[in-house]
Amino acid sequence: MKDFLLKVVLPVVGVVMAGMTVVECIAETMPKDNYYKRRVEYLTQNADSLQLLVLGPSSTMMSVIPHLLDKKGYNASESSQPARMDYCLLKRFIDKMPKLEYVIFNFNASTLYSRQIVPGGDGEIQLYNYSVHYGADYYFMYKYYVMGGYKAIMSAFKGGDNDEKHMENDGFITYQPHKWTEAEKEEVHKKWTRHSDINDEGRFVDSIVNLCESRNIKLILLAPPITADYVDSRKPELDELRQVSEKYRGRKNIYLVDYLRPSFIVDSLDMRDWAHCNPNGARKVTLALNDSIRKWEGRCSN
């Protein structure tokens, strides 16, 4: 028994501990001073005064300008941010926000879907930051980040600072119409896939809904604008989204705001690409939202 411990068990334990030490050392050298960190710092410092919080991926990030709203708000959206991470961030701060009245949550073609994580890709850099700064659970990080192996670790190591991108610093961008080919449509469906395991976003949409309801906070399920030619390419996902939206319709303090194809948005003037507003479009969306909030609260628009 003693020989077995010395010759088998101890070497194995040593290798495991050495491996964990190497991973920890690499993690400590990875860049941490980025937008994710600054977002958490802002929320920590301003949680007690915020009345409105915006969550979601880049389509929401590029559609809502908080300082144009009557309510004091903050846009905590980020490119490709899944509902799982929105829930993680909201759960962390919701009880530290005594004045929070509204949560605006992205509800579009990608809400029920997750971007496929490719080893060595940008998605793994995000997962690393979600784990470090948002407090995402270790298993989630391990399955989709650590198991990516050497390429994943090195891609995150080289990733650098994911600097804050503020829409209003961008120039006026106009969208050029694009005719989608069948091959491009197929590529879209490969990029965004419905999962049934750890990446099943539908569960976390329900979690966000239930969390807001439990705190008597109004939830705005916002479908940001997309271009006319993009509607056709995302038809299967949009059809499923409409079906899912029915279970939220009529529930107290839940507002379904469909701006997928609003009359006030002109693709060639207000869109930067297929699924993102330019600054002009974002201003229109934000002011329309503000008017809706005023009406819900019984106040007249100026």
Side-chain angles (χ1 to χ4, degrees):
M1 184 64 178
K2 184 177 179 180
D3 288 343
F4 176 76
L5 290 173
L6 291 174
K7 294 180 179 180
V8 179
V9 176
L10 287 181
V12 171
V13 171
V15 169
V16 171
M17 291 182 66
M20 292 175 64
T21 301
V22 170
V23 170
E24 184 176 350
C25 289
I26 292 175
E28 286 302 313
T29 64
M30 290 181 182
K32 298 183 179 66
D33 184 17
N34 55 32
Y35 184 35
Y36 301 89
K37 179 183 178 181
R38 291 196 294 275
R39 182 187 294 126
V40 170
E41 288 176 344
Y42 179 90
L43 289 172
T44 300
Q45 295 167 7
N46 296 276
D48 59 349
S49 63
L50 288 177
Q51 299 170 290
L52 182 146
L53 182 66
V54 185
L55 299 171
S58 56
S59 56
T60 316
M61 179 176 72
M62 306 304 288
S63 297
V64 183
I65 308 173
H67 77 254
L68 296 180
L69 297 166
D70 293 340
K71 308 287 183 181
K72 181 178 179 180
Y74 182 68
N75 194 329
S77 306
E78 174 58 30
S79 178
S80 300
Q81 185 158 286
R84 181 188 184 97
M85 293 304 127
D86 289 316
Y87 172 68
C88 187
L89 192 66
L90 180 62
K91 184 178 180 181
R92 177 173 175 179
F93 285 99
I94 194 169
D95 290 328
K96 299 175 183 178
M97 297 179 169
K99 296 182 180 180
L100 187 65
E101 300 176 46
Y102 289 91
V103 170
I104 298 176
F105 175 65
N106 178 77
F107 202 61
N108 70 3
S110 63
T111 300
L112 303 176
Y113 292 73
S114 295
R115 185 187 294 274
Q116 291 180 334
I117 304 300
V118 180
D122 292 340
E124 286 169 339
I125 300 173
Q126 284 188 300
L127 294 180
Y128 169 77
N129 280 295
Y130 288 141
S131 178
V132 171
H133 301 300
Y134 281 28
D137 64 85
Y138 177 77
Y139 176 66
F140 181 70
M141 177 192 174
Y142 175 78
K143 182 174 181 183
Y144 289 99
Y145 175 72
V146 176
M147 287 183 70
Y150 173 78
K151 288 184 178 180
I153 293 174
M154 293 312 296
S155 74
F157 180 71
K158 297 175 182 177
D161 193 315
N162 180 19
D163 239 337
E164 180 173 1
K165 304 170 288 294
H166 197 286
M167 70 182 77
E168 291 187 293
N169 291 333
D170 292 331
F172 186 78
I173 302 169
T174 56
Y175 171 71
Q176 298 300 318
H178 176 75
K179 183 66 176 178
W180 285 73
T181 66
E182 291 303 317
E184 287 173 321
K185 292 179 185 179
E186 184 178 345
E187 187 62 28
V188 166
H189 298 303
K190 289 180 180 178
K191 182 178 179 181
W192 295 96
T193 56
R194 189 75 153 96
H195 292 277
S196 60
D197 60 354
I198 197 167
N199 259 352
D200 186 353
E201 296 302 293
R203 291 184 293 131
F204 295 100
V205 176
D206 285 337
S207 296
I208 289 170
V209 169
N210 294 334
L211 186 58
C212 288
E213 285 187 329
S214 70
R215 304 301 195 277
N216 200 31
I217 292 169
K218 299 176 182 67
L219 177 64
I220 301 173
L221 298 178
L222 171 66
I226 59 178
T227 59
D229 52 17
Y230 197 51
V231 170
D232 184 50
S233 71
R234 300 305 300 272
K235 189 177 185 304
E237 294 92 339
L238 290 171
D239 286 345
E240 182 178 6
L241 186 72
R242 292 188 181 97
Q243 293 174 11
V244 170
S245 70
E246 289 305 311
K247 71 178 180 179
Y248 301 127
R249 194 177 301 279
R251 289 172 67 167
K252 183 181 178 181
N253 289 340
I254 295 182
Y255 301 92
L256 293 168
V257 179
D258 185 354
Y259 286 166
L260 284 174
R261 297 294 305 149
S263 59
F264 58 81
I265 290 289
V266 179
D267 290 355
S268 60
L269 298 178
D270 302 317
M271 300 298 291
R272 120 192 349 259
D273 57 26
W274 308 306
H276 301 92
C277 289
N278 63 25
N280 196 54
R283 181 179 179 83
K284 289 183 178 180
V285 168
T286 305
L287 293 178
L289 268 175
N290 199 53
D291 279 344
S292 292
I293 292 174
R294 287 176 174 180
K295 290 175 183 176
W296 299 332
E297 296 184 347
R299 294 181 287 133
C300 294
S301 177
N302 293 332

